[in-house]
Amino acid sequence: MELIYSKIEPNKLLHIINRLSDISDRQDIIPKNNFIQCATLKMEKGKTFKPHKHIEKERCYEKQISQESWIVIKGSVKCKFYDIDDKLLCEPVLNVGDASFTLYGGHTYEILEDDTIVYEYKTGPYEGQELDKTFLNE
């Protein structure tokens, strides 16, 4: 797992890359204080879970940021990850089975192969581009 921290605030985790090759057993990928959550689970045939449903509950946050994840299903993607001051931090490449998570800071993606397929996850509810993002000047 690659943890990418801010150069401005060195203790602030901005981005995470989890590679398919990193997955073993159960591992929580995202620190629990974030809005988006993800765990990896490597399981053997026959594994099962006790049936359950999740509890509806009131949640109230003073501030909430949209956090985003991309998981590559087919092809490859070059990420550009930015710090909280909008400066480029790094440009990792995601391959099949790899996942990126942006908790804070900026990002963009370049598709490296035709017919690339990704799953994109974001925290919601989504209220439109005007209320969700601001564009960076590259």
Side-chain angles (χ1 to χ4, degrees), residues 49-107:
F49 300 89
K50 189 173 182 178
H52 66 280
K53 62 182 180 180
H54 295 270
I55 301 166
E56 195 171 305
K57 56 187 167 188
E58 293 282 330
R59 295 178 186 214
C60 181
Y61 303 100
E62 278 186 41
K63 291 183 180 181
Q64 182 175 355
I65 189 170
S66 291
Q67 297 178 325
E68 184 174 321
S69 174
W70 273 38
I71 300 171
V72 177
I73 304 304
K74 178 183 174 195
S76 58
V77 176
K78 180 165 83 172
C79 307
K80 287 187 178 183
F81 291 141
Y82 297 86
D83 206 329
I84 56 177
D85 65 353
D86 302 340
K87 291 203 168 52
L88 184 65
L89 285 169
C90 60
E91 299 182 61
V93 172
L94 302 179
N95 297 299
V96 172
D98 294 344
S100 71
F101 301 88
T102 293
L103 308 176
Y104 299 96
H107 61 244

Side-chain angles (χ1 to χ4, degrees), residues 32-47:
K32 294 182 187 326
N33 62 332
N34 288 277
F35 296 102
I36 197 167
Q37 292 292 299
C38 181
T40 58
L41 297 93
K42 184 175 182 181
M43 298 167 283
E44 301 303 323
K45 181 179 177 181
K47 172 75 175 162

